[in-house]
Amino acid sequence: MPNLFLRGWNWCCRFRHRCGYGVHSPSDFFLITFVVYERLAFYAYNLLHAKRKQVEHLPHYREKTDRLLFRLVNHLQPRNMLEVGTGSGLSARYMSEAKHVPLCTFDEGKEHEEVISLLKDAPEVDYRCGNVLSLLRSRVEGQSCPDIVHIAFTPYYKEAFDMLLPYVTSRTCFFIGSPYATKEKRQWWKQVVADSRTGVTFDLYDVGLVFFDKKRIKEHRIVNFF
């Protein structure tokens, strides 16, 4: 119940940031109105909805947020993807259904049988567990950063961001999961938005988007996504 009240309060605070009001960039307006606020039912929604119950005891987003990730991937059309902090595996499955390209997803500790079962029908997803930062280091050293990076259910969000930052390209987009989860993460998210190395950023409360195309003027968009 407290979470419901908090979301209601934040919806009121963001009321004027709905539907792309005040956004003059055509590409940003399109992203907000035709991707974030898209309400059409995509082909994979029913299939993925049916799989949620088997992993709902593991860390995951609400279904609306996972569907947003699906639409973002479908819109951005990445060549490859990376996820740090697998959680339930639902987000990886939504992203992989949107675009069948290689997706590495790393989680701390041991593999979960439920996650393996969820991802078995997604052969493009490479699910690995162990020391997340070691796995990440071996993935990125000497390579360019994947087009989409989802920093999700991990306490090592700062370390992962800092490790990946030197490898980003103009095509890279970071999905930052739950940027308001804790006071510490909120402060870090503000630093990411203000960082001169990042480009256009979007704050959707449940997830933050960070682009790195330095040809564009650095701007920060707040979107009412509740």
Side-chain angles (χ1 to χ4, degrees):
M1 188 62 70
N3 185 57
L4 183 62
F5 284 124
L6 179 61
R7 297 190 74 87
W9 168 254
N10 280 293
W11 183 91
C12 293
C13 291
R14 294 178 179 230
F15 181 74
R16 67 187 181 91
H17 297 289
R18 68 200 187 282
C19 303
Y21 294 157
V23 176
H24 301 293
S25 164
S27 60
D28 290 356
F29 184 80
F30 182 92
L31 179 67
I32 293 170
T33 55
F34 293 103
V35 180
V36 174
Y37 284 110
E38 176 61 73
R39 294 189 177 185
L40 292 177
F42 282 82
Y43 57 89
Y45 282 180
N46 288 337
L47 167 68
L48 296 170
H49 174 78
K51 295 180 177 294
R52 297 187 71 86
K53 286 187 177 181
Q54 70 188 68
V55 290
E56 62 184 1
H57 60 290
L58 296 172
H60 63 282
Y61 297 130
R62 59 185 180 137
E63 188 170 20
K64 183 176 181 179
T65 302
D66 278 326
R67 289 181 173 184
L68 170 64
L69 297 187
F70 178 99
R71 296 194 299 274
L72 286 167
V73 170
N74 183 63
H75 171 65
L76 295 171
Q77 291 292 297
R79 297 166 298 185
N80 47 20
M81 297 184 282
L82 173 65
E83 181 177 67
V84 184
T86 309
S88 67
L90 279 168
S91 296
R93 189 63 195 271
Y94 274 80
M95 291 165 64
S96 68
E97 286 292 333
K99 180 70 173 177
H100 298 296
V101 295
L103 189 165
C104 292
T105 180
F106 301 144
D107 216 0
E108 191 75 16
K110 297 181 180 180
E111 294 178 344
H112 292 277
E113 291 298 325
E114 300 95 329
V115 177
I116 294 174
S117 177
L118 178 72
L119 298 176
K120 67 181 180 181
D121 297 329
E124 64 278 359
V125 179
D126 183 6
Y127 171 48
R128 301 185 188 183
C129 292
N131 183 294
V132 162
L133 296 182
S134 295
L135 290 169
L136 184 59
R137 189 174 295 108
S138 65
R139 168 62 181 81
V140 299
E141 284 185 344
Q143 304 180 48
S144 62
C145 188
D147 290 344
I148 286 180
V149 176
H150 180 212
I151 300 179
F153 307 99
T154 175
Y156 304 113
Y157 53 89
K158 288 187 286 188
E159 294 87 346
F161 183 87
D162 290 339
M163 191 183 299
L164 289 162
L165 197 55
Y167 303 97
V168 301
T169 71
S170 60
R171 289 178 57 96
T172 304
C173 179
F174 281 18
F175 300 165
I176 307 296
S178 306
Y180 290 91
T182 64
K183 182 178 180 180
E184 180 184 27
K185 197 168 186 180
R186 286 197 300 272
Q187 292 300 318
W188 171 77
W189 169 239
K190 289 181 181 179
Q191 294 170 10
V192 169
V193 170
D195 196 316
S196 61
R197 296 169 295 179
T198 64
V200 178
T201 52
F202 291 78
D203 184 334
L204 290 83
Y205 191 81
D206 284 343
V207 64
L209 308 180
V210 184
F211 292 90
F212 293 90
D213 185 355
K214 303 304 288 185
K215 293 180 181 178
R216 296 197 55 195
I217 298 173
K218 182 177 177 64
E219 294 184 275
H220 181 56
R221 310 292 192 191
I222 297 174
V223 183
N224 190 349
F225 180 74
F226 286 98

